[in-house]
Amino acid sequence: MASNSTSVPLLTPYKMGSFELSHRVVMPPMTRNRSYNNTPQPHAIEYYAQRTTKGGFLISESTSASDISNGSPNMPGIWTEDQAEAWKPIVDSVHGKGGVFFCQLWHPGRLSDSSLNNFLIAWNAVPDDGEYFRPTPKQLKANELPLIVNDFRIAARNAIEAGFDGVEINSANSYMIDQFLNDQVNDRTDEYGGSIENRCRLALEIIGAVVDEIGAHRVGVKLSLFSEVYGKKDSNPEFPSSYLASELTKLGVLYLHVFEPKDEPRCLKSIRSAFEGTLIASGGYNKTEGDEAITESCADLVSFGRLFLANPDLPKRFEVNAPLNKHDRSTFYRTDPVLGYTDYPSLEIAC
């Protein structure tokens, strides 16, 4: 049943900057909705430790750089020192097993719903279908944007103080940065709208501020090809991603984590040619497709979301070609600290 790990491309070692990874199977950010009052909870210690291997690379669930308490009370934050303190034992559990752990930072952006008492887009998970509610936003004023840049800078500093090895800036998934990149959504007429340089300006200001704060060797960025923002795709989806990838090479960013939707052709070549750092592929890959992506040099690492969620020991299962647990979608966003969270069984290997 077992196969030699050296024959499995996903299980070959890889050096990502100063980080020595023992395999190329990445646990990506996955919203789990179990951080009560926006504070990471003790049950997250077991959740992340279960999915850690020596030399494995994990990225935390999306963690807010700004106050989202009124709109998303069960998503973690890292905008306060207390939240950073709550992350420390979770980070320690990953490091205790030899893992590399980055914190994904996001900022939901703008909103028009005054009941939320701030200017963020609120989104609330619906456990049964996984869909989200986003109120129609109002345009951020230019003088508000430096405050958002500073939010990311402070959050990155807090993440490092909490013990994380680095941060991933979420520029994907239709959140604020993605909204600025998309030419079908960004209708601004100032220096943040219009040309590709202007639409990427805020992303580069945020990433540049984080690089200045913690160092480029600790910074990754997530992008999504063909993403839809309010149902609208960019008129030329590869162009902003490729342009941004080239600019991030100049900044010396450690890695790009690129999401490709399953209903679109795999198309990392343009980003691969534009970006000189580590490239992580994401988007419904299975083991065979992941192996092919590594073999064909389309990517250096591959992240597996639902497979990792349902299979805490996913790299081991890949190594021995074992059956995989099936995920239970209905539990993705429930607030239960065990059900659908830490109760997926690990593989029992016979001695």
Side-chain angles (χ1 to χ4, degrees):
M1 180 178 75
S3 60
N4 191 321
S5 63
T6 60
S7 68
V8 182
L10 282 167
L11 299 180
T12 56
Y14 178 77
K15 184 175 175 62
M16 182 177 70
S18 62
F19 302 105
E20 299 282 354
L21 305 182
S22 61
H23 58 78
R24 301 172 187 239
V25 181
V26 177
M27 177 177 165
M30 291 178 282
T31 296
R32 304 314 317 275
N33 225 34
R34 290 163 168 86
S35 296
Y36 315 138
N37 298 316
N38 302 120
T39 301
Q41 299 295 307
H43 48 250
I45 296 173
E46 181 180 3
Y47 172 74
Y48 284 104
Q50 285 177 337
R51 289 157 180 80
T52 302
T53 53
K54 185 176 182 179
F57 182 38
L58 299 82
I59 309 167
S60 80
E61 59 205 283
S62 210
T63 302
S64 184
S66 183
D67 191 341
I68 55 171
S69 57
N70 288 320
S72 303
N74 295 315
M75 291 184 64
I78 198 162
W79 69 83
T80 71
E81 292 181 3
D82 287 345
Q83 290 165 336
E85 283 294 320
W87 272 112
K88 286 182 178 180
I90 303 168
V91 176
D92 288 346
S93 72
V94 173
H95 287 162
K97 296 184 70 174
V100 177
F101 201 14
F102 273 44
C103 180
Q104 191 194 67
L105 302 178
W106 73 299
H107 201 301
R110 3 164 238 183
L111 103 138
S112 61
D113 187 346
S114 60
S115 69
L116 296 179
N117 198 33
N118 55 30
F119 58 82
L120 306 176
I121 288 177
W123 63 289
N124 297 304
V126 180
D128 291 337
D129 57 17
E131 294 181 355
Y132 305 101
F133 166 73
R134 294 181 175 91
T136 302
K138 58 185 178 183
Q139 191 174 96
L140 281 165
K141 297 177 182 178
N143 62 5
E144 292 175 315
L145 299 181
L147 303 177
I148 291 174
V149 172
N150 196 49
D151 284 343
F152 274 97
R153 183 187 63 77
I154 293 171
R157 182 182 65 204
N158 287 346
I160 298 304
E161 291 178 354
F164 282 102
D165 298 295
V167 302
E168 176 179 285
I169 299 172
N170 190 354
S171 304
N173 304 114
S174 80
Y175 295 133
M176 185 196 63
I177 296 175
D178 205 14
Q179 295 167 21
F180 274 77
L181 300 178
N182 189 314
D183 66 1
Q184 300 301 297
V185 175
N186 183 343
D187 58 358
R188 300 179 73 99
T189 58
D190 60 9
E191 65 270 31
Y192 293 94
S195 69
I196 184 64
E197 293 84 1
N198 284 358
R199 285 183 283 125
C200 289
R201 187 182 306 278
L202 180 63
L204 292 172
E205 287 178 351
I206 289 169
I207 297 163
V210 172
V211 164
D212 288 344
E213 184 70 27
I214 67 173
H217 63 294
R218 289 175 164 173
V219 178
V221 176
K222 187 173 184 182
L223 297 174
S224 52
L225 294 173
F226 301 101
S227 65
E228 293 188 5
V229 180
Y230 301 106
K232 297 179 180 180
K233 290 183 181 179
D234 191 276
S235 62
N236 185 3
E238 291 187 63
F239 184 44
S241 296
S242 298
Y243 173 82
L244 199 54
S246 178
E247 294 300 304
L248 295 180
T249 292
K250 297 175 185 176
L251 285 174
V253 164
L254 179 64
Y255 72 80
L256 268 180
H257 187 183
V258 182
F259 176 77
E260 307 167 275
K262 292 194 293 184
D263 58 350
E264 299 283 353
R266 303 294 188 191
C267 53
L268 291 177
K269 289 184 179 179
S270 60
I271 290 181
R272 186 61 151 171
S273 62
F275 184 65
E276 297 178 2
T278 294
L279 184 61
I280 306 174
S282 177
Y285 280 80
N286 59 31
K287 178 180 177 294
T288 298
E289 293 169 332
D291 281 335
E292 290 174 352
I294 301 301
T295 300
E296 297 171 8
S297 297
C298 295
D300 301 302
L301 310 171
V302 181
S303 69
F304 298 86
R306 295 175 182 177
L307 290 184
F308 231 134
L309 182 152
N311 297 272
D313 53 353
L314 185 63
K316 173 57 71 175
R317 288 175 185 261
F318 281 173
E319 179 183 353
V320 301
N321 199 28
L324 299 176
N325 299 324
K326 183 174 176 54
H327 65 262
D328 181 355
R329 185 183 179 89
S330 71
T331 65
F332 281 3
Y333 308 111
R334 292 187 179 177
T335 57
D336 192 289
V338 176
L339 181 65
Y341 192 58
T342 57
D343 60 347
Y344 284 103
S346 295
L347 183 66
E348 294 291 334
I349 303 294
C351 298

